[in-house]
Amino acid sequence: LENARLYQESVTRVEQELNIARRIQSNLFPRSLPQLAGLALDARCMPARETGGDFYDVIALSGQRVGIIVGDVSGKSIPAAMLMAVARSITRSEARNHEIPQLVMCETNRWIVRDVPRRTFVALSYATLDLECRRLALSNAGQLTPLRRRADGRIDYLEAPGPRLPLGTMPDIAYDALEVTLDPGDLLVFYTDGIVEAHNDQHDLFGFERLEALLREYGNLPPAPFIDRLMQAVAAFTGGTAQHDDITLVVARV
């Protein structure tokens, strides 16, 4: 009986600590997104456990510019949440200190290599969007390639050039950036692998083809309803299968 009582106390303490960690982590996400003329935005993050390793941020920069951060750290639960907090803080700081995404990525990588344990890493994409000239600049460090859905339904994968190793794997990586001019009506989708790697009870993956099909069919919707449609499709596909990975989306319409 005494052992049972001590075990229950231990379980209760762990549950309380996890709930506290979840509340702290939830406060790290933006309470609201920047409101700029000519841009519609929405974002979601759904951890698979009490805490997760995915994160996102949308930062108002100088002029008519925003910075979009989407990241996924290695590991699960509390260790992932701690690494996520470190990576988010460093990236936000560097995004405010530097104009171009590739420099933000290089400087963020240097700090993460120094500050996180060995054999841990951060997959991150960082993009700046200049609404005055409708120009997107994107740098990618091991994150899934963002998608662009044009007004006529065509879909492009926005592949950044140069090295794409995740942050924290080695110092002094010379990241590069893709620059593209956007058209009115373009929809940009930044996402983590929890979407395409969601699986059903037969272990079939949701995959890129289903994501592209949904983007073609519903990509004319505003960002919030589009995310709702996508999440409904993922839930219908997986059925009762438990979510095994964090899911994060940032969707922007020019």
Side-chain angles (χ1 to χ4, degrees):
L1 289 174
E2 179 66 11
N3 286 340
R5 184 186 65 80
L6 292 172
Y7 174 76
Q8 185 58 49
E9 287 180 357
S10 175
V11 170
T12 301
R13 184 169 61 252
V14 170
E15 290 175 346
Q16 291 172 343
E17 291 174 353
L18 284 171
N19 286 330
I20 292 170
R22 178 180 55 79
R23 291 198 298 271
I24 292 172
Q25 187 177 44
S26 66
N27 287 330
L28 297 177
F29 291 95
R31 290 182 173 84
S32 61
L33 300 177
Q35 303 293 316
L36 284 82
L39 183 68
L41 280 167
D42 196 43
R44 309 279 172 85
C45 184
M46 289 142 283
R49 302 183 183 181
E50 291 85 354
T51 59
D54 278 14
F55 63 99
Y56 74 87
D57 209 341
V58 183
I59 307 169
L61 302 174
S62 60
Q64 294 295 304
R65 298 169 62 245
V66 294
I68 298 173
I69 300 167
V70 174
D72 181 3
V73 309
S74 59
K76 301 288 184 184
S77 194
I78 296 294
M82 295 177 67
L83 180 55
M84 165 266 186
V86 171
R88 172 190 174 274
S89 298
I90 294 173
T91 309
R92 278 175 59 90
S93 176
E94 295 300 333
R96 295 190 183 280
N97 289 337
H98 304 289
E99 289 282 327
I100 58 176
Q102 57 267 47
L103 188 53
V104 171
M105 202 69 81
C106 291
E107 293 302 315
T108 301
N109 180 57
R110 289 196 182 100
W111 285 109
I112 287 178
V113 167
R114 290 177 53 183
D115 291 350
V116 305
R118 294 180 60 188
R119 293 183 292 278
T120 59
F121 59 87
V122 181
L124 183 81
S125 65
Y126 175 63
T128 58
L129 180 55
D130 190 331
L131 296 171
E132 189 172 352
C133 60
R134 293 201 303 270
R135 192 76 176 166
L136 176 79
L138 167 72
S139 190
N140 198 333
Q143 189 52 268
L144 293 184
T145 303
L147 295 169
R148 171 193 188 185
R149 196 263 195 192
R150 299 175 188 252
D152 61 6
R154 286 180 296 157
I155 294 175
D156 303 322
Y157 282 84
L158 301 176
E159 293 275 3
R164 293 186 56 181
L165 291 171
L167 305 178
T169 54
M170 57 186 297
D172 301 320
I173 300 175
Y175 291 102
D176 204 346
L178 170 74
E179 295 192 19
V180 295
T181 299
L182 302 174
D183 298 318
D186 280 357
L187 190 76
L188 303 173
V189 181
F190 302 84
Y191 56 101
T192 57
D193 55 5
I195 288 283
V196 294
E197 294 181 2
H199 61 78
N200 58 21
D201 56 4
Q202 302 298 314
H203 299 287
D204 299 319
L205 298 181
F206 187 78
F208 291 97
E209 291 184 1
R210 289 183 177 86
L211 176 59
E212 290 178 28
L214 285 162
L215 193 51
R216 290 190 185 93
E217 184 173 0
Y218 299 113
N220 59 328
L221 295 174
F226 171 75
I227 291 178
D228 290 338
R229 288 278 190 174
L230 178 54
M231 295 313 303
Q232 290 167 8
V234 172
F237 174 78
T238 58
T241 304
Q243 181 182 337
H244 77 286
D245 199 2
D246 306 331
I247 293 175
T248 300
L249 287 157
V250 178
V251 178
R253 180 181 297 286
V254 178

